[in-house]
Amino acid sequence: GAGRRRRASRENTLRTQWVIVSGMGGAQRTGLDYTRVESVMNLAGIPQSDRPELFGDLRVMEDAALDVFSAQT
C-alpha cells in the first residue's frame, strides 16, 4: 500500500550512504554508515516509533546487498 511505497522511497534515499573502503584490491562497500542513516531518518521525518522496524528491514537489505557486492568481485 501507500505506507510501503513511502518506506521504499525513504530507503531509496539511503542508496548513497555506503561506507566505501579503498585498498590494494580496489574500492569495497563495507556497509551503510549508520550515522547517516539516522540523519536521513531525521530529515525524512520518520517517527521514532517507526524506526526500530525500519532499521531492522534496512539491515536485512544491507546484508543482501553486501552479498551481491561480494559476489561481483
Side-chain angles (χ1 to χ4, degrees), residues 26-73:
Q28 207 172 349
R29 290 178 181 97
T30 60
L32 289 169
D33 182 334
Y34 294 143
T35 59
R36 292 179 185 174
V37 170
E38 182 179 18
S39 293
V40 169
M41 288 184 181
N42 288 333
L43 290 170
I46 298 172
Q48 290 286 335
S49 60
D50 293 346
R51 293 180 186 195
E53 180 182 356
L54 180 60
F55 186 68
D57 293 346
L58 188 62
R59 295 284 314 271
V60 170
M61 290 185 286
E62 175 189 34
D63 286 343
L66 288 171
D67 287 344
V68 170
F69 298 147
S70 177
Q72 292 175 347
T73 58

Side-chain angles (χ1 to χ4, degrees), residues 5-27:
R5 281 191 300 275
R6 279 193 302 273
R7 180 184 301 177
S9 176
R10 289 174 181 158
E11 291 163 354
N12 217 7
T13 305
L14 296 170
R15 71 177 176 252
T16 59
Q17 304 309 318
W18 288 94
V19 175
I20 299 174
V21 176
S22 295
M24 297 293 285

